[in-house]
């Protein structure tokens, strides 16, 4: 059973930065290269994919965060990160870590919009 635990959420002002972490456990070493991703969901809106690292280590970003967010993974401690800079009020959402992500319907050029395993989420609030 894959377990994902997010941390690092909080409140920040417009233009600020936050880094989210996701500690992953419960999978065999052979699976350590599976796709991992970050999603977010704001109140009253559908969940959307934000960023992913696929099983080849290639990173992908939604257009709305490209150039501002950076996804990375540390395989030595099984942790996924999301560095968020130049935050905007529209970035306010519950951010959820996901494992075994895969391509589904695409929004623009970003297609990692589904996954098998999910964390509980970390709230990010950006205020003006």
């Amino acid at each position: 059973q894959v377990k994902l635990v997010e941390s690092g959420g909080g409140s920040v002002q417009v233009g600020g930065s936050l880094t989210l972490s996701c500690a992953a456990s419960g999978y065999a070493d052979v699976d350590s290269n599976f796709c991992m991703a970050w999603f977010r969901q704001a109140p009253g809106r559908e969940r959307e994919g934000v960023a992913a690292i696929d099983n080849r280590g290639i990173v992908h970003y939604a257009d709305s965060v490209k150039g501002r967010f950076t996804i990375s993974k540390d395989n030595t401690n099984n942790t996924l990160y999301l560095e968020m800079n130049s935050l905007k009020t529209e970035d306010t959402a519950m951010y959820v870590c996901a494992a075994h992500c895969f391509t589904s319907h695409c929004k623009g050029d970003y297609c990692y919009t589904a996954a098998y395993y999910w964390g509980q989420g970390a709230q990010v609030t950006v205020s003006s």
Side-chain angles (χ1 to χ4, degrees), residues 3-83:
K3 183 178 179 182
L4 304 169
V5 180
E6 301 93 338
S7 61
S11 298
V12 66
Q13 291 193 321
V14 168
S17 300
L18 278 175
T19 297
L20 302 178
S21 301
C22 172
S25 62
Y27 54 87
D29 286 344
V30 68
D31 293 330
S32 62
N33 288 328
F34 54 40
C35 175
M36 294 193 73
W38 289 97
F39 291 73
R40 68 185 181 186
Q41 186 166 17
R45 300 189 66 177
E46 289 187 354
R47 184 177 63 204
E48 64 172 341
V50 174
I53 296 180
D54 67 23
N55 59 359
R56 298 164 296 171
I58 298 172
V59 299
H60 307 266
Y61 296 98
D63 287 343
S64 58
V65 305
K66 203 172 290 184
R68 301 187 298 121
F69 290 12
T70 302
I71 188 171
S72 61
K73 186 169 67 165
D74 185 344
N75 288 328
T76 62
N77 63 10
N78 299 326
T79 302
L80 182 73
Y81 301 96
L82 185 68
E83 180 183 350

Side-chain angles (χ1 to χ4, degrees), residues 49-128:
V50 174
I53 296 180
D54 67 23
N55 59 359
R56 298 164 296 171
I58 298 172
V59 299
H60 307 266
Y61 296 98
D63 287 343
S64 58
V65 305
K66 203 172 290 184
R68 301 187 298 121
F69 290 12
T70 302
I71 188 171
S72 61
K73 186 169 67 165
D74 185 344
N75 288 328
T76 62
N77 63 10
N78 299 326
T79 302
L80 182 73
Y81 301 96
L82 185 68
E83 180 183 350
M84 304 181 291
N85 298 310
S86 301
L87 283 161
K88 306 175 181 180
T89 54
E90 52 263 45
D91 294 319
T92 294
M94 180 70 74
Y95 284 72
V96 181
C97 172
H100 279 295
C101 49
F102 53 94
T103 56
S104 183
H105 62 279
C106 296
K107 183 176 181 181
D109 294 332
Y110 187 80
C111 300
Y112 285 90
T113 53
Y116 288 116
Y117 300 102
W118 302 89
Q120 293 298 310
Q123 178 67 37
V124 172
T125 302
V126 185
S127 59
S128 57

